[in-house]
Amino acid sequence: MSDSDRSQRVDALLNDLPEALPPPQMRAKLRLAAGLTQQDVADAVGVKRVAVTRWELGQTSPRRPHRENYLRLLKGLAERFPDVAQLDAGSTTPTSEGGSG
């Protein structure tokens, strides 16, 4: 296998990695800043409220396709509430946590 092939394989692995979610406590802060309940988020993302509770406590992380929708929501909230999002800027959670939802 050539170095070029190896580079392409590495790039493919990197492109397939999921984007990191904000830390659990930031997830709840963003939701609260928007005046949303956990049930509001659960209904929008397509999971049960208990899943959102576990995500916000850091007990589990969402899996596809819920992860993409939840991340989209959190990004949108971070754009609308930049002061809240700046509190823990740069912090991320591991993407290898157990999943729920």
Side-chain angles (χ1 to χ4, degrees), residues 20-62:
L21 292 166
Q25 67 276 10
M26 181 56 56
R27 301 170 198 174
K29 287 177 184 176
L30 287 168
R31 175 182 56 78
L32 292 170
L36 300 173
T37 66
Q38 289 179 333
Q39 189 64 56
D40 293 332
V41 173
D43 291 343
V45 175
V47 296
K48 295 183 179 181
R49 186 197 54 79
V50 69
V52 175
T53 300
R54 290 178 180 152
W55 298 343
E56 290 183 355
L57 292 173
Q59 295 174 343
T60 61
S61 282

Side-chain angles (χ1 to χ4, degrees), residues 5-86:
D5 290 338
R6 285 192 177 95
S7 292
Q8 289 176 352
R9 286 186 176 195
V10 168
D11 289 343
L13 287 175
L14 290 173
N15 290 334
D16 286 343
L17 290 175
E19 193 169 343
L21 292 166
Q25 67 276 10
M26 181 56 56
R27 301 170 198 174
K29 287 177 184 176
L30 287 168
R31 175 182 56 78
L32 292 170
L36 300 173
T37 66
Q38 289 179 333
Q39 189 64 56
D40 293 332
V41 173
D43 291 343
V45 175
V47 296
K48 295 183 179 181
R49 186 197 54 79
V50 69
V52 175
T53 300
R54 290 178 180 152
W55 298 343
E56 290 183 355
L57 292 173
Q59 295 174 343
T60 61
S61 282
R63 292 188 223 169
R64 292 180 188 162
H66 308 302
R67 182 182 184 87
E68 288 86 3
N69 291 326
Y70 187 51
L71 182 58
R72 183 173 171 221
L73 173 65
L74 293 174
K75 281 182 170 184
L77 294 176
E79 289 174 10
R80 291 187 184 194
F81 303 97
D83 294 341
V84 174
Q86 291 300 321

